[in-house]
Amino acid sequence: NTKITQSPRYLILGRANKSLECEQHLGHNAMYWYKQSAEKPPELMFLYNLKQLIRNETVPSRFIPECPDSSKLLLHISAVDPEDSAVYFCASSQERGLGENTGQLYFGEGSKLTVL
Amino acid sequence: GDSVTQTEGQVALSEEDFLTIHCNYSASGYPALFWYVQYPGEGPQFLFRASRDKEKGSSRGFEATYDKGTTSFHLRKASVQESDSAVYYCALGDANSGTYQRFGTGTKLQVVP
C-alpha cells in the first residue's frame, strides 16, 4: 500500500519524545489517527477535515496531532507510558461534508510503538 | 451513544463452509454501515458499505444487507477459502458528525483446508 505512507514502521521508546508521520497520496480531505492495541479494534484518536481538527477523542495530553497540510499528518508523542504500546494507524477518506454519510477509510500500514 | 456489536469473537470453519458473522448496531437515523477486513501486520481494508434500509453491499464474494428493522448488517459468504482467514470488523458511521467511524470488537475467522 503506497497510497498512505507512515513512518517509522517500528518504534521502541523509553521515556523519549518522538513523532509519527503520515502522508496520503489520494487527494482526500479528511485524515485520522487510530490506535489499535493488541487483539482490539482500531479506536479513533483524532480527526482532521480540511486541516481543521474536528474530532478529538479522550486522548492523553502527551499525544499532540499536527496537520501541516491537507496530505500530511503528524502525531507527536512525549513521555510515553507502557499503555501506549500499540499500532498507530493513519487513515484518510473523502468526505462530502458534515452531516452526510461517511466515506470509506483507507488505512496506512501502521507504526508499531513498543514502550519499554 | 452510537455503537456496533459483533457477537462472535472467533469463528473456525473448513474450506467451502458457509460463513455468517453477526453485526448489530444501535444508532438514530440511518448511519452508514461498513465491513472491513484486517490481515496480520496490515491496516484494515474496506470491503463494502451500505447506507439505506434493504441496501446490499458486496465484495470478493462477501455480502451484507442493511436491515433497519432488526438493526443488523450481518456478513455472509457462501463458500469460504483459507485465504479468507483474517479479522473482520463491522463499523458504523456517525450520522450526526458525518465523519466518524466506530468499529465493532472484531471477529477472527480461521479457515482450515
Side-chain angles (χ1 to χ4, degrees):
Chain A
N1 178 17
T2 56
K3 296 176 181 176
I4 300 181
T5 56
Q6 290 188 239
S7 64
R9 292 293 315 281
Y10 299 94
L11 191 61
I12 300 174
L13 289 180
R15 297 281 293 177
N17 301 339
K18 191 65 179 179
S19 296
L20 306 183
E21 299 182 7
C22 170
E23 184 169 11
Q24 55 102 354
H25 309 276
L26 296 164
H28 288 164
N29 55 14
M31 294 189 74
Y32 311 71
W33 280 115
Y34 276 86
K35 174 185 178 183
Q36 186 173 34
S37 301
E39 309 298 320
K40 299 286 187 186
E43 296 178 48
L44 181 69
M45 300 175 72
F46 301 103
L47 159 59
Y48 279 84
N49 194 323
L50 297 173
K51 294 177 56 181
Q52 184 179 2
L53 181 63
I54 64 169
R55 193 90 185 201
N56 180 350
E57 299 299 285
T58 307
V59 177
S61 59
R62 58 182 178 273
F63 291 91
I64 300 174
E66 181 184 355
C67 188
D69 66 56
S70 58
S71 67
K72 290 190 174 72
L73 197 59
L74 305 173
L75 184 63
H76 306 294
I77 312 172
S78 59
V80 290
D81 188 89
E83 70 180 25
D84 299 333
S85 293
V87 180
Y88 292 83
F89 286 105
C90 176
S92 70
S93 67
Q94 183 60 35
E95 298 303 318
R96 291 189 294 277
L98 291 178
E100 299 197 37
N101 287 332
T102 63
Q104 70 186 71
L105 293 172
Y106 291 79
F107 283 83
E109 293 179 315
S111 294
K112 184 173 183 177
L113 171 63
T114 302
V115 179
L116 302 175
Chain B
D2 295 352
S3 65
V4 60
T5 301
Q6 291 178 242
T7 49
E8 298 94 352
Q10 293 195 53
V11 173
L13 295 173
S14 300
E15 280 194 325
E16 300 183 12
D17 279 353
F18 188 92
L19 168 71
T20 300
I21 297 177
H22 295 95
C23 172
N24 288 89
Y25 71 91
S26 173
S28 57
Y30 278 90
L33 298 172
F34 302 79
W35 277 102
Y36 287 84
V37 57
Q38 186 173 27
Y39 300 100
E42 299 182 11
Q45 296 176 26
F46 171 80
L47 267 179
F48 54 81
R49 63 172 283 174
S51 53
R52 298 185 307 277
D53 192 22
K54 302 298 184 276
E55 181 180 358
K56 184 165 124 177
S58 63
S59 175
R60 310 185 204 177
F62 294 90
E63 62 179 42
T65 300
Y66 194 128
D67 190 331
K68 187 165 173 64
T70 58
T71 61
S72 67
F73 193 55
H74 304 319
L75 181 70
R76 306 184 200 277
K77 186 174 186 183
S79 176
V80 294
Q81 302 301 312
E82 188 178 6
S83 58
D84 293 327
S85 297
V87 179
Y88 291 82
Y89 290 101
C90 184
L92 177 147
D94 188 322
N96 292 325
S97 75
T99 50
Y100 169 40
Q101 289 184 33
R102 190 185 304 272
F103 285 76
T105 48
T107 299
K108 186 173 183 178
L109 171 65
Q110 177 120 26
V111 180
V112 297

